[in-house]
């Protein structure tokens, strides 16, 4: 036993002597050297900032589950979008809290719904900002599910497709640059593409929430968007977190249906899926650094248990290293400020 240990350690020293280039620390000696050999660099241009928009005037309501994030009325939303652009972040992702929710989520596809109004306002004020819209019904239905709920508690796939397509068309007509379906219905990319094309919106790209897992990390978001399901859960349509191969099938299916960009969500607990998606597909890939990932770090940072800024940059860099071209993150403004040197 001790012979084995000795042989191994002396073997590695001998190896180092024979092959001097095994000294990996050489390239890490100074900050300048480390800068030169850094493989992954994060830029504000990689980031997409999610925002929550609500009715009313002068509303800036803190979201208890997500410190530093707010439900914003249109006037304050505009201030945020102007600031987002100033920081060099190219895109925002919009979520809406409607005045009324109903069984079929009609405010999602109302041309005067909160999201549609927000899109028009942003495009008037900051025309170059890329506006991405979430295409889903859960914020707009009184039951909180992502589609049409049948009496037996099942979400009707095909009836939902029609409403998702109407939602995407109304958002694109209002001026959305990218529509991002997140309901996890089968066939939703094909349904959106057909609907958009028929409405003369064939230039609007679809960012597919292609592999979206049923995740406890969405908890803080559901407080923010007031969209938790009243009964049951989303496991009959969102994916089982145990399934990496099935995630690739979901991604592939969305490519076949005509997705222009793919998304993996959540990001941190699914970096293996993101890395495989990067290897397998040549489409631009987004990763969603979700609300629970944000809230965990905010809580630990506020308690002084981790260095929030350093951990934030490490997380975002890891997501990019794993293969994301775009990172949707509530940290977008904080990260952009750091990257720009304050
Ligand atoms: C809508 C939607 C959700 C998120 C994005 N779009 C919630 C859900 O599916 O329950 C979660 C985002 C986050 O947690 O930051 N379906």
């Amino acid at each position: 036993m001790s012979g084995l240990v000795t042989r191994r350690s002396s073997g590695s020293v001998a190896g180092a002597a024979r092959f001097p280039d095994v000294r990996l620390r050489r390239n890490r000696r100074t900050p300048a050297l480390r800068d030169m050999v850094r493989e992954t660099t994060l830029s504000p241009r990689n980031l997409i900032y999610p925002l929550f928009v609500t009715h009313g005037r002068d509303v800036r309501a803190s979201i208890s589950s997500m410190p530093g994030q707010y439900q914003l009325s249109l006037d304050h939303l505009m201030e945020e979008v102007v600031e987002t652009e100033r920081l060099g972040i190219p895109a925002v992702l919009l979520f809406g809290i409607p005045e009324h929710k109903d069984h079929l989520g009609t405010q999602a596809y109302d041309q005067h719904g909160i999201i549609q109004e927000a899109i028009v306002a942003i495009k008037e004020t900051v025309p170059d900002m890329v506006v991405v819209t979430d295409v889903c019904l859960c914020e707009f239905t009184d039951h909180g599910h992502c589609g049409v709920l049948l009496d037996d508690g099942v979400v009707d796939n095909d009836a939902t497709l029609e409403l998702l397509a109407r939602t995407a068309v109304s958002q694109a007509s209002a001026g959305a640059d990218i529509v991002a379906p997140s309901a996890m219905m089968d066939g939703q990319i094909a349904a959106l593409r057909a609907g958009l094309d028929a409405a003369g919106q064939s230039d609007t790209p679809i960012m597919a929430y292609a592999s979206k897992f049923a995740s406890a990390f969405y908890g803080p978001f559901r407080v923010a968007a007031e969209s938790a399901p009243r009964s049951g859960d989303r496991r009959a349509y969102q994916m089982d977190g145990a399934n990496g191969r099935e995630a690739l099938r979901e991604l592939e299916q969305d490519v076949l249906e005509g997705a222009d960009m793919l998304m993996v969500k959540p990001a941190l607990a699914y970096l293996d899926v993101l890395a495989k998606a990067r290897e397998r597909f040549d489409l631009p890939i987004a990763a969603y650094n979700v609300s629970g990932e944000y809230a965990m770090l905010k809580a630990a940072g506020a308690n002084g248990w981790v260095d929030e800024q350093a951990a934030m940059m490490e997380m975002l860099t890891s997501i990019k290293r794993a293969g994301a071209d775009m990172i949707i993150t509530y940290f977008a403004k904080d990260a952009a400020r750091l990257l720009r040197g304050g």
Side-chain angles (χ1 to χ4, degrees), residues 18-262:
R18 254 182 290 132
F19 306 106
D21 57 351
V22 300
R23 296 261 167 171
L24 292 167
R25 287 182 50 184
R26 239 179 239 133
N27 293 346
R28 300 176 199 150
R29 196 173 51 83
T30 68
L33 279 168
R34 292 197 290 276
D35 250 10
M36 285 177 71
V37 300
R38 184 160 299 123
E39 298 172 29
T40 307
T41 47
L42 201 59
S43 152
R45 310 303 302 168
N46 302 132
L47 306 176
I48 299 175
Y49 189 41
L51 289 166
F52 298 94
V53 52
T54 191
H55 285 275
R57 280 199 64 76
D58 200 20
V59 181
R60 188 177 169 84
S62 335
I63 297 165
S64 59
S65 55
M66 301 173 69
Q69 304 300 315
Y70 302 87
Q71 292 181 346
L72 302 163
S73 54
L74 286 181
D75 43 342
H76 286 292
L77 181 78
M78 289 314 119
E79 293 165 8
E80 281 292 332
V81 176
V82 167
E83 168 80 349
T84 303
E85 183 182 58
R86 194 186 63 75
L87 288 167
I89 299 162
V92 292
L93 170 61
L94 299 181
F95 295 101
I97 298 108
E99 219 152 25
H100 306 289
K101 301 188 186 224
D102 56 35
H103 207 64
L104 292 175
T106 54
Q107 289 289 299
Y109 36 93
D110 184 328
Q111 207 56 51
H112 300 289
I114 186 71
I115 290 291
Q116 289 77 1
E117 283 186 2
I119 300 165
V120 170
I122 293 174
K123 282 290 152 187
E124 271 171 15
T125 319
V126 191
D128 291 340
M129 179 59 65
V130 175
V131 176
V132 189
T133 49
D134 187 80
V135 182
C136 193
L137 299 185
C138 63
E139 293 135 53
F140 304 92
T141 51
D142 50 14
H143 45 74
H145 277 285
C146 299
V148 177
L149 192 65
L150 302 176
D151 290 341
D152 57 4
V154 171
V155 172
D156 183 330
N157 193 84
D158 295 1
T160 302
L161 292 181
E162 198 189 316
L163 300 184
L164 292 175
R166 278 172 68 177
T167 303
V169 167
S170 74
Q171 294 169 344
S173 309
D177 296 288
I178 301 174
V179 291
S182 72
M184 287 303 280
M185 296 298 126
D186 282 326
Q188 63 182 8
I189 306 305
L192 258 62
R193 189 70 274 154
L196 289 165
D197 290 354
Q201 305 286 359
S202 47
D203 284 339
T204 304
I206 300 175
M207 175 188 281
Y209 278 74
S211 87
K212 175 172 173 180
F213 292 89
S215 173
F217 292 105
Y218 306 155
F221 172 96
R222 292 178 189 168
V223 174
E226 301 173 12
S227 65
R230 292 283 148 81
S231 63
D233 55 40
R234 305 206 201 289
R235 292 181 183 279
Y237 41 102
Q238 298 180 349
M239 287 187 53
D240 183 339
N243 294 359
R245 293 191 298 270
E246 188 188 352
L248 295 175
R249 288 190 66 199
E250 282 281 0
L251 289 155
E252 176 153 39
Q253 184 59 33
D254 284 2
V255 173
L256 293 173
E257 289 180 28
D260 300 281
M261 305 171 184
L262 298 172

Side-chain angles (χ1 to χ4, degrees), residues 288-320:
Y288 201 141
N289 178 216
V290 299
S291 58
E293 299 170 345
Y294 174 81
M296 277 193 308
L297 181 47
K298 278 283 170 188
N303 275 294
W305 297 334
V306 293
D307 176 338
E308 182 182 319
Q309 286 194 340
M312 167 183 78
M313 295 311 271
E314 187 175 335
M315 281 181 173
L316 296 175
T317 303
S318 300
I319 296 169
K320 183 148 185 215

